[in-house]
């Protein structure tokens, strides 16, 4: 079996759908606060630090929020940590 012993990465689309649940104020963008909460609920450690780092990496237009397009970047970045979204 090719994937034996290898954790199967969750699809980017799934990650995005899950992240959208954390857009608590419904502005269509993920703020650092919202991302922090998302990470926290996923059981990640250092979620505040990770949220800041992730936003700095994925926030292409530098407005401090992650919009629909930037979400792909965020997902690519966050998936390296082996995040499992429920
Ligand atoms: Ca939001
Ligand atoms: Ca942005």
């Amino acid at each position: 079996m090719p994937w034996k012993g290898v954790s199967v990465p969750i699809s980017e689309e799934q990650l995005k759908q899950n992240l959208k649940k954390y857009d608590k104020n419904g502005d269509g963008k993920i703020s650092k606060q919202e991302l922090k909460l998302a990470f926290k609920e996923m059981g990640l450690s250092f979620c505040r630090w990770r949220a800041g780092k992730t936003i700095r990496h994925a926030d292409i237009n530098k407005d401090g929020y992650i919009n629909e397009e930037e979400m792909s970047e965020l997902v690519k970045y966050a998936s390296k940590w082996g995040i499992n979204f429920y």
Side-chain angles (χ1 to χ4, degrees):
M1 299 296 279
W3 53 72
K4 196 177 174 226
V6 177
S7 60
V8 179
I10 193 163
S11 80
E12 289 192 10
E13 209 39 55
Q14 275 174 292
L15 278 168
K16 276 195 226 176
Q17 289 309 319
N18 276 288
L19 266 177
K20 283 178 189 167
K21 284 193 266 177
Y22 291 95
D23 179 19
K24 299 294 182 193
N25 62 0
D27 63 357
K29 295 179 281 193
I30 303 294
S31 68
K32 190 176 167 183
Q33 280 302 317
E34 289 165 345
L35 189 62
K36 194 181 93 182
L37 180 73
F39 285 171
K40 196 176 166 188
E41 292 197 355
M42 285 164 221
L44 280 179
S45 52
F46 310 112
C47 43
R48 213 176 93 182
W49 173 79
R50 283 190 208 258
K53 215 168 143 58
T54 305
I55 287 193
R56 273 199 303 279
H57 178 86
D59 184 15
I60 294 156
N61 64 5
K62 304 291 174 203
D63 64 352
Y65 297 93
I66 302 302
N67 63 25
E68 184 78 38
E69 293 145 42
E70 293 165 345
M71 233 175 254
S72 324
E73 209 37 57
L74 188 159
V75 161
K76 254 183 255 164
Y77 187 70
S79 60
K80 285 182 200 151
W81 292 329
I83 291 175
N84 288 308
F85 287 77
Y86 300 105

